[in-house]
Amino acid sequence: MEGTRRRSTTNITKPTHKLIDQDETSTVTGPKPSDALPLPLYITNALFFTVFFSVVYFLLTRWREKIRNSTPLHLLTLSDIVAIFAFIASFIYMLGFFGIDFVQSLILRPSPDVWAAEDDGEDEVDLLQEDARIVPCGQALDSTAPPPPQKIAVVPSHHLKPKVVDEIPFPTTLNEEDEEIINSVVAGKTPSYSLESKLGDCKRAAAIRREALQRITSKSLSGLPLEGFDYESILGQCCEMPIGYVQIPVGIAGPLLLDGKEYSVPMATTEGCLVASTNRGCKAIRICGGAASVLLRDAMTRAPVVRFGTAKRAAQLKFYLEDPANFEVVSTVFNKSSRFGRLQSIKCALAGKNLYMRFSCSTGDAMGMNMVSKGVQNVLDFLQNDFPDMDVLGISGNYCSDKKPSAVNWIEGRGKSVVCEAVIKGDVVRNVLKTSVEALVELNMLKNLTGSAMAGALGGFNAQASNIVSAIYIATGQDPAQNVESSHCITMMEPLNGGEDLHVSVTMPSIEVGTVGGGTQLASQSACLNLLGVKGASKETPGANARLLASIVAGSVLAAELSLMSAIASGQLVNSHMKYNRSNKDVSKVAS
Ligand code: ADP
C-alpha cells in the first residue's frame, strides 16, 4: 500500500497519527525557520553556544567574587547586566532550536495502541520506514503536475468518532462549498454515488468522493492519482464512483510480423520478463518470414435459460429453434437490434424441463455482449407469442459462457476463433531461442499436451497464453475478465524437414475482443489500439478491426509461447526471472 503515515508536527492537539500526501512530504524537506538566519545554522549555533557558556562562566565568577567581598548580589555593574541579557538570549535561542523539537517528540509520539487499533504492527513499521521516501511513487509517475495542494481542516461529524486526520493536503482545489459536501458525504447525508449527477462535474465528484473516503477510512490515497484522467469519459460506461485511477506500465513487443504486416504490440503488465520474452519470440518469427493467421469463426454468444412445465415442451422449443425452416424468421427478429449484430446459429441444450439456447452472432467491431443480449431479448419476446408457457428465468443461463472456464467455449468457440502458425528455422531456434527443435517438440508434448491432460486442463494446453492475452487486453481496453476463455489455447510444436526446423502453432477458439464500445474509447486504450492500426470501427469492412486485433493477440501468444518454451527447454527460465522479474528491493519494506 502506498499510503503513508507519520508523526505529525503541526496542528495536533493530542497524540495521534494522520494521513499525509506529497504536500506534507514537501513540508518535511521544504523551508525551515532556520533558513531566515543571516549566518549558516552551524555558525549561529556555535556562536550562541560560546556566548551561553562564556556568560555562565562570567556570572558564576562574579557571584563568587561578590560572596567573598560581601557585596550584595543585586548590585549590578554594566558588564553584569550585559552578561545577564546575553545569558537570557542564548538560553532562549538554544531552547528554540533543541528544546521544542525534543518536547514535541515526546508529546507527539503516537501510542502503540493507536497504531495497533488500525493495522497490524509489523505493517506499520514497514510503512514508517517507507515514509522515508521523498516522493511517492504515484506522484513520480504522474506526468501531469498537480496544482498546489490546499490544506483542509476536518470538521468532525457528530455521526462519527472524531477522526485522527487533522489535515489532509490534497492535490486538487477544494473550496468551502466542496468542504460542506465532503462533510455531508462523511456524515452519510449525501450518497457518494449521487455526486456526479448532483454536481454535474465528474472530476469534482471524484475529488470530493476521494477526500470523503480518506476521512471516513483514515487511510491515505496519496499514491493513487486523481489528476490527469478524463472522468467524463467513463461516466455511465466504464466505472462508477471513481476516486482515481491505477497506473500500469505499458511495454512494447515487436515488431510482430503477421500476415505480411508488422505490428508493435502494446502490453500492460507488471510482470517482469513478459514483454522481453514476447519480444524475443517476435524476433525469431520475423527472421523466419513471419507468422500466418486464419480466422476460423467470429461469433459472440448469449444463452438465456427458460423453463417449461414439462421436458416435452422444452424439447418442442429446441426442435423449433434448430429447424432450418424457422431460422429466417428468428434471425430477422434478432437482427432488428443492431446494424451489426447478425444471428448465425442457435444451439440448444436441455436440463429436464429447462432449456438453454445459445445464440451466436457476428457483432462487427464490437466485442458484442450488449449487442447479442439485445438481439436475444427481441427473440424471447417474439417466442412468447407461440410459447406463452415459456418462463424466462434469465437472459444469461451460463451456457454462453461468459468469464467462466467452460467446455462449450473451448469446443464451440466464442468471439473470434483463430489459428496462427509459423515455421522457425533450426538455426534461429539455436541462435535466437538458444535451444533445439528436438527439445522444444519434446517439452511441448510433455508439458503443454500431456502435463495439461494430467492436470485435467480445460483449454489450458499452453505455457502462458493468459499472460499475453491479459496484457494486451488491459492495454487496448478489452474486458480483462474475459481473459478466462480468451486464453483457451492449444500450442503445437512439430518437427519439420526431418527435424531440422520447427512448426509452431496456437489455436485459440475464444478470443473476445472489440475495437468499439467499453473501455476501447478511453484515451490511453484508444492510443494503444491506434498503434496497432485497429482503433474504432472499420470504415471499409465492419468487424475487420476487431478480427485483426484477435489475430494480433494470437500472433503475440505464438511469439510468447516460443520464447517461454525455449527458456524452459534450455533451463534459462529461473535465471532470467531472477534477473528481470524479481525485485531486488527489500520487499518487507514495501509490504502493506
Ligand atoms: P458491446 O456489444 O461490445 O458491449 P457496445 O454495444 O457497447 O458493444 O458498442 C457497440 C456500439 O457501437 C453499438 O451501438 C454499435 O451500433 C456501434 N458501432 C458503430 N460501429 C460499429 C462497428 N463497426 N461494429 C460494431 N458496432 C459498431
Side-chain angles (χ1 to χ4, degrees), residues 385-401:
N385 298 327
D386 286 344
F387 296 86
D389 52 338
M390 179 180 79
D391 184 9
V392 179
L393 294 174
I395 185 85
S396 168
N398 271 9
Y399 187 53
C400 319
S401 182

mmCIF file of all heavy atoms in Angstrom, residues 385-401:
data_model
loop_
_atom_site.group_PDB
_atom_site.id
_atom_site.type_symbol
_atom_site.label_atom_id
_atom_site.label_comp_id
_atom_site.label_asym_id
_atom_site.label_seq_id
_atom_site.Cartn_x
_atom_site.Cartn_y
_atom_site.Cartn_z
ATOM 1 N N ASN A 385 -45.025 -15.385 -27.998
ATOM 2 C CA ASN A 385 -46.303 -15.491 -28.720
ATOM 3 C C ASN A 385 -46.687 -16.950 -28.952
ATOM 4 O O ASN A 385 -47.816 -17.360 -28.692
ATOM 5 C CB ASN A 385 -46.217 -14.784 -30.080
ATOM 6 C CG ASN A 385 -45.946 -13.308 -29.907
ATOM 7 O OD1 ASN A 385 -46.398 -12.704 -28.937
ATOM 8 N ND2 ASN A 385 -45.183 -12.730 -30.826
ATOM 9 N N ASP A 386 -45.713 -17.748 -29.453
ATOM 10 C CA ASP A 386 -46.011 -19.149 -29.765
ATOM 11 C C ASP A 386 -45.814 -20.066 -28.559
ATOM 12 O O ASP A 386 -46.328 -21.189 -28.547
ATOM 13 C CB ASP A 386 -45.109 -19.642 -30.905
ATOM 14 C CG ASP A 386 -45.552 -19.068 -32.244
ATOM 15 O OD1 ASP A 386 -46.691 -18.563 -32.309
ATOM 16 O OD2 ASP A 386 -44.747 -19.107 -33.199
ATOM 17 N N PHE A 387 -45.042 -19.606 -27.597
ATOM 18 C CA PHE A 387 -44.783 -20.428 -26.397
ATOM 19 C C PHE A 387 -45.121 -19.602 -25.147
ATOM 20 O O PHE A 387 -44.243 -19.230 -24.377
ATOM 21 C CB PHE A 387 -43.317 -20.884 -26.357
ATOM 22 C CG PHE A 387 -42.919 -21.798 -27.485
ATOM 23 C CD1 PHE A 387 -42.493 -21.285 -28.709
ATOM 24 C CD2 PHE A 387 -42.981 -23.181 -27.337
ATOM 25 C CE1 PHE A 387 -42.142 -22.126 -29.747
ATOM 26 C CE2 PHE A 387 -42.621 -24.024 -28.384
ATOM 27 C CZ PHE A 387 -42.206 -23.496 -29.587
ATOM 28 N N PRO A 388 -46.410 -19.328 -24.956
ATOM 29 C CA PRO A 388 -46.782 -18.469 -23.818
ATOM 30 C C PRO A 388 -46.473 -19.095 -22.467
ATOM 31 O O PRO A 388 -46.390 -18.381 -21.463
ATOM 32 C CB PRO A 388 -48.300 -18.274 -24.012
ATOM 33 C CG PRO A 388 -48.726 -19.362 -24.930
ATOM 34 C CD PRO A 388 -47.563 -19.773 -25.744
ATOM 35 N N ASP A 389 -46.311 -20.432 -22.451
ATOM 36 C CA ASP A 389 -45.985 -21.100 -21.176
ATOM 37 C C ASP A 389 -44.482 -21.064 -20.875
ATOM 38 O O ASP A 389 -44.023 -21.658 -19.892
ATOM 39 C CB ASP A 389 -46.477 -22.556 -21.204
ATOM 40 C CG ASP A 389 -45.997 -23.314 -22.441
ATOM 41 O OD1 ASP A 389 -45.656 -22.651 -23.457
ATOM 42 O OD2 ASP A 389 -45.943 -24.560 -22.403
ATOM 43 N N MET A 390 -43.737 -20.389 -21.726
ATOM 44 C CA MET A 390 -42.281 -20.288 -21.508
ATOM 45 C C MET A 390 -41.994 -19.267 -20.393
ATOM 46 O O MET A 390 -42.420 -18.118 -20.478
ATOM 47 C CB MET A 390 -41.608 -19.836 -22.812
ATOM 48 C CG MET A 390 -40.114 -19.678 -22.717
ATOM 49 S SD MET A 390 -39.395 -19.148 -24.287
ATOM 50 C CE MET A 390 -39.761 -17.412 -24.286
ATOM 51 N N ASP A 391 -41.293 -19.730 -19.398
ATOM 52 C CA ASP A 391 -40.954 -18.860 -18.267
ATOM 53 C C ASP A 391 -39.475 -18.457 -18.401
ATOM 54 O O ASP A 391 -38.582 -19.308 -18.252
ATOM 55 C CB ASP A 391 -41.197 -19.659 -16.968
ATOM 56 C CG ASP A 391 -40.959 -18.817 -15.730
ATOM 57 O OD1 ASP A 391 -40.785 -17.598 -15.881
ATOM 58 O OD2 ASP A 391 -40.934 -19.399 -14.626
ATOM 59 N N VAL A 392 -39.234 -17.185 -18.700
ATOM 60 C CA VAL A 392 -37.836 -16.736 -18.884
ATOM 61 C C VAL A 392 -37.210 -16.504 -17.510
ATOM 62 O O VAL A 392 -37.611 -15.611 -16.774
ATOM 63 C CB VAL A 392 -37.774 -15.446 -19.733
ATOM 64 C CG1 VAL A 392 -36.319 -14.998 -19.877
ATOM 65 C CG2 VAL A 392 -38.407 -15.660 -21.091
ATOM 66 N N LEU A 393 -36.227 -17.327 -17.204
ATOM 67 C CA LEU A 393 -35.587 -17.219 -15.882
ATOM 68 C C LEU A 393 -34.410 -16.244 -15.888
ATOM 69 O O LEU A 393 -34.130 -15.603 -14.879
ATOM 70 C CB LEU A 393 -35.109 -18.594 -15.421
ATOM 71 C CG LEU A 393 -36.237 -19.582 -15.149
ATOM 72 C CD1 LEU A 393 -35.678 -20.957 -14.851
ATOM 73 C CD2 LEU A 393 -37.096 -19.123 -13.992
ATOM 74 N N GLY A 394 -33.742 -16.171 -17.018
ATOM 75 C CA GLY A 394 -32.602 -15.246 -17.060
ATOM 76 C C GLY A 394 -32.088 -15.095 -18.473
ATOM 77 O O GLY A 394 -32.029 -16.069 -19.224
ATOM 78 N N ILE A 395 -31.713 -13.868 -18.812
ATOM 79 C CA ILE A 395 -31.167 -13.607 -20.159
ATOM 80 C C ILE A 395 -29.840 -14.340 -20.339
ATOM 81 O O ILE A 395 -29.449 -14.675 -21.444
ATOM 82 C CB ILE A 395 -31.014 -12.089 -20.394
ATOM 83 C CG1 ILE A 395 -30.557 -11.746 -21.814
ATOM 84 C CG2 ILE A 395 -30.018 -11.482 -19.419
ATOM 85 C CD1 ILE A 395 -31.654 -11.646 -22.794
ATOM 86 N N SER A 396 -29.163 -14.615 -19.225
ATOM 87 C CA SER A 396 -27.941 -15.423 -19.282
ATOM 88 C C SER A 396 -28.093 -16.632 -18.368
ATOM 89 O O SER A 396 -28.343 -16.479 -17.173
ATOM 90 C CB SER A 396 -26.720 -14.619 -18.838
ATOM 91 O OG SER A 396 -25.628 -15.497 -18.644
ATOM 92 N N GLY A 397 -27.960 -17.805 -18.959
ATOM 93 C CA GLY A 397 -28.074 -19.040 -18.165
ATOM 94 C C GLY A 397 -26.740 -19.767 -18.040
ATOM 95 O O GLY A 397 -26.730 -20.974 -17.770
ATOM 96 N N ASN A 398 -25.647 -19.058 -18.271
ATOM 97 C CA ASN A 398 -24.281 -19.590 -18.115
ATOM 98 C C ASN A 398 -23.876 -20.620 -19.165
ATOM 99 O O ASN A 398 -22.774 -21.151 -19.104
ATOM 100 C CB ASN A 398 -24.057 -20.196 -16.718
ATOM 101 C CG ASN A 398 -23.577 -19.151 -15.749
ATOM 102 O OD1 ASN A 398 -23.580 -17.974 -16.069
ATOM 103 N ND2 ASN A 398 -23.152 -19.568 -14.567
ATOM 104 N N TYR A 399 -24.766 -20.897 -20.116
ATOM 105 C CA TYR A 399 -24.375 -21.791 -21.205
ATOM 106 C C TYR A 399 -23.730 -20.955 -22.327
ATOM 107 O O TYR A 399 -23.399 -21.458 -23.372
ATOM 108 C CB TYR A 399 -25.625 -22.544 -21.690
ATOM 109 C CG TYR A 399 -25.400 -23.632 -22.714
ATOM 110 C CD1 TYR A 399 -24.476 -24.659 -22.507
ATOM 111 C CD2 TYR A 399 -26.148 -23.656 -23.892
ATOM 112 C CE1 TYR A 399 -24.293 -25.660 -23.450
ATOM 113 C CE2 TYR A 399 -25.972 -24.661 -24.837
ATOM 114 C CZ TYR A 399 -25.042 -25.650 -24.607
ATOM 115 O OH TYR A 399 -24.864 -26.659 -25.539
ATOM 116 N N CYS A 400 -23.527 -19.666 -22.048
ATOM 117 C CA CYS A 400 -22.984 -18.731 -23.067
ATOM 118 C C CYS A 400 -21.561 -19.091 -23.503
ATOM 119 O O CYS A 400 -21.338 -19.181 -24.695
ATOM 120 C CB CYS A 400 -23.017 -17.294 -22.566
ATOM 121 S SG CYS A 400 -24.496 -16.830 -21.670
ATOM 122 N N SER A 401 -20.518 -19.128 -22.695
ATOM 123 C CA SER A 401 -20.433 -18.943 -21.268
ATOM 124 C C SER A 401 -19.435 -17.819 -21.023
ATOM 125 O O SER A 401 -18.325 -17.845 -21.534
ATOM 126 C CB SER A 401 -19.937 -20.266 -20.674
ATOM 127 O OG SER A 401 -19.846 -20.247 -19.316
#
